[in-house]
Amino acid sequence: MTLLLPPLSHSSFTPLKPHVSSPFFSRALSSSSPSTVSTQPGAIIVGAGLAGLAAATHLAASSVPFLLLEASDAVGGRVRTDSLDGFLLDRGFQIFLTAYPEARRLLCYPSLRLRPFYPGALVYHARRFHRIADPFRRPIHALASLPNPIGSLSDKLLVGLARLRAASLPDSVLLSAPESPISARLRAAGFSPAIVDRFFRPFLAGIFFDPDLATTSRLFDFVFKCLALGDNALPAAGISAIPAQLAGRLPPGSLRLRSRVVAVDAGSGAARPPSVTLEEGDAITADLGVIVAVEQPEVEKLLPQAFPQEEKKPKPVRSTVCLYFSADRAPVREPILILNGSGEGIINNMFFATNVTPSYAPVGKVLASVSLIGAFPQRSDEDLTAEVVQELTGWFGAEVRSWRHLRTYRIGFAQPDQTPPTDLVGKEPRVGEGVYVCGDHRTSATFDGALVSGRMAAETLIRDRGLSKM
């Protein structure tokens, strides 16, 4: 994730500090001289995002020693939250789908204190807000919305049918089905241009950062199923509570922050195990192997051999800009996602985070989150803020001018591109003897995909080394 921001002085949680007293890691961490070479009696995991944390969790469950190296000051990768003047600011628009199957197995939901969104959305179109509601959870609201202009009656019946279809099929079927771009899939299903442009385009662009709807239909079906079977939610302590929970379970001494890996040497079998080189020049050899769990652009630098030539062709970059504002009141009181279905302006979606969970702001304050799709490289933060305020004034009235801008996040790499053809069931983690790759670019570009990929990498390493528990 690329943030065009000054260094942040606050964090939503205290970063976990590595314990260097553990005998597993004394050799790897004790040397203070530059350019040293040490041996890690176990595995090395590069990157403490969701995939790396999942890999670490599964290695720990199998009693496999490891060292988890993270370049930044806290775990989470792109899943981070910052604290500013009592506000919790997630780094970009991120929501958690409680029906993610891998997350259900790995996370403790009660500890996250998840707060749900309304099952539907408000769509701004023709200078008014129109409601779209889940017909199975809010049938009365769905019936009342039938006459609105966000699609025809048949469109709304098709939404219900699509929901039933996705919910009835196993994940493995959805993720390996014949695929097409989402735009083609919606047309083939019979949806009108009205509901595609006014609802599906802004809604799915907020999830996949892809307003052209070129993302694979497989991912659409999987996410649609999760939306049908669970809630959209936010943890009360911010989205970073998810990686923080995983990190909190790791063995003492297994996590090392502010440790950027700049090179991975695949080694040459048992004679020379794989190793990593840190930014300061120190090298660490891993007895059991190296799992590289960083985002795709970084993997391509560290392990270019992990990507066949056809995967190196230029692909669209999924970028977003997220702006946060403080207000004294919310013009919309529901915990609901608001979509721009007007076809005008730069806003894609927004919501009032404090309507979902009040803990995102100090008592008596409201936190508004506004998302734009794209990088806007030629526009300054001040310029974008002014245009967003002007646009929202048209939505909510003059009170928006009194909102206080808190921060702008520019996320250059929000998500890997997943246009067809794709392999969402999961690519082979092993890219060399003792070298493994995981991340949402190896499976589906979702929280769940990252967790699945981390597990697959750990399981493959364990099998390769004959460490499976009997």
Side-chain angles (χ1 to χ4, degrees):
M1 178 182 295
T2 300
L3 300 176
L4 304 185
L5 292 169
L8 302 170
S9 59
H10 301 276
S11 175
S12 62
F13 61 97
T14 302
L16 298 173
K17 296 180 179 179
H19 302 272
V20 298
S21 58
S22 169
F24 282 151
F25 308 121
S26 58
R27 281 181 288 171
L29 300 179
S30 61
S31 175
S32 59
S33 60
S35 301
T36 61
V37 178
S38 55
T39 299
Q40 158 59 27
I44 290 174
I45 304 171
V46 181
L50 291 183
L53 289 166
T57 298
H58 289 284
L59 291 181
S62 294
S63 301
V64 177
F66 63 88
L67 175 62
L68 176 55
L69 300 171
E70 167 56 37
S72 70
D73 61 349
V75 300
R78 299 193 300 270
V79 186
R80 293 282 300 271
T81 306
D82 299 310
S83 178
L84 176 68
D85 300 333
F87 292 92
L88 297 181
L89 310 181
D90 294 332
R91 295 189 182 183
F93 173 60
Q94 303 189 56
I95 56 177
F96 180 69
L97 305 187
T98 61
Y100 281 145
E102 190 77 7
R104 281 180 164 176
R105 290 187 285 267
L106 198 59
L107 298 171
C108 176
Y109 283 11
S111 298
L112 292 175
R113 295 182 294 146
L114 296 168
R115 302 292 184 262
F117 281 74
Y118 174 90
L122 289 180
V123 180
Y124 182 74
H125 170 72
R127 301 186 181 279
R128 292 184 56 193
F129 290 103
H130 306 275
R131 185 179 299 269
I132 294 289
D134 184 327
F136 296 91
R137 299 189 196 183
R138 296 290 190 274
I140 295 176
H141 290 180
L143 284 172
S145 72
L146 290 178
N148 73 32
I150 312 302
S152 64
L153 174 60
S154 63
D155 283 327
K156 288 153 188 173
L157 293 175
L158 285 171
V159 169
L161 291 174
R163 183 190 189 282
L164 284 172
R165 175 190 174 277
S168 67
L169 294 175
D171 296 340
S172 58
V173 172
L174 297 175
L175 295 174
S176 60
E179 64 180 334
S180 65
I182 292 174
S183 57
R185 169 64 184 282
L186 295 175
R187 284 196 303 271
F191 288 106
S192 72
I195 196 167
V196 170
D197 290 337
R198 297 168 191 174
F199 171 67
F200 281 115
R201 193 176 306 280
F203 178 66
L204 296 174
I207 297 173
F208 304 129
F209 309 105
D210 171 23
D212 296 328
L213 303 184
T215 297
T216 175
S217 56
R218 293 171 175 171
L219 202 50
F220 167 77
D221 286 335
F222 175 69
V223 168
F224 216 59
K225 176 180 180 177
C226 292
L227 291 169
L229 298 181
D231 292 320
N232 300 340
L234 287 177
I239 203 70
S240 65
I242 295 170
Q245 183 183 107
L246 294 173
R249 302 174 185 169
L250 301 182
S254 61
L255 171 65
R256 182 174 171 184
L257 301 174
R258 299 182 178 86
S259 299
R260 181 177 298 279
V261 171
V262 295
V264 176
D265 183 344
S268 57
R272 187 167 63 88
S275 64
V276 301
T277 301
L278 303 180
E279 192 170 41
E280 60 269 24
D282 295 348
I284 308 175
T285 298
D287 286 351
L288 296 180
V290 173
I291 297 176
V292 179
V294 295
E295 61 186 23
Q296 184 173 341
E298 292 303 311
V299 180
E300 291 175 349
K301 296 175 185 176
L302 293 173
L303 290 172
Q305 69 270 30
F307 295 87
Q309 284 302 121
E310 61 269 19
E311 293 188 16
K312 296 179 181 179
K313 296 177 181 177
K315 290 188 175 183
V317 177
R318 306 301 182 198
S319 304
T320 184
V321 179
C322 182
L323 300 91
Y324 284 101
F325 297 88
S326 165
D328 292 329
R329 64 177 293 274
V332 173
R333 302 300 177 89
E334 296 176 273
I336 194 168
L337 183 64
I338 303 173
L339 306 174
N340 183 2
S342 70
E344 302 173 347
I346 61 173
I347 295 173
N348 183 77
N349 59 277
M350 64 93 61
F351 74 108
F352 295 95
T354 37
N355 289 355
V356 181
T357 173
S359 55
Y360 265 62
V363 174
K365 290 294 183 181
V366 167
L367 178 65
S369 170
V370 182
S371 295
L372 321 179
I373 306 302
F376 297 87
Q378 307 305 319
R379 305 283 296 276
S380 68
D381 287 357
E382 293 76 15
D383 186 26
L384 289 178
T385 300
E387 186 165 349
V388 165
V389 168
Q390 181 178 2
E391 198 169 324
L392 290 177
T393 299
W395 294 17
F396 301 121
E399 67 179 287
V400 175
R401 297 193 183 99
S402 67
W403 293 5
R404 180 169 67 93
H405 175 243
L406 295 172
R407 180 167 286 168
T408 295
Y409 288 88
R410 292 179 179 261
I411 300 146
F413 184 82
Q415 200 176 90
D417 172 68
Q418 295 208 314
T419 53
T422 63
D423 179 4
L424 304 189
V425 176
K427 298 176 182 176
E428 168 62 49
R430 188 191 308 103
V431 297
E433 186 174 351
V435 181
Y436 309 85
V437 173
C438 60
D440 59 0
H441 53 93
R442 307 294 287 183
T443 49
S444 66
T446 62
F447 283 13
D448 216 56
L451 297 175
V452 168
S453 182
R455 170 175 56 79
M456 291 175 63
E459 289 174 345
T460 304
L461 181 150
I462 289 168
R463 284 196 304 271
D464 286 351
R465 300 306 181 190
L467 301 172
S468 299
K469 290 185 176 180
M470 303 301 292

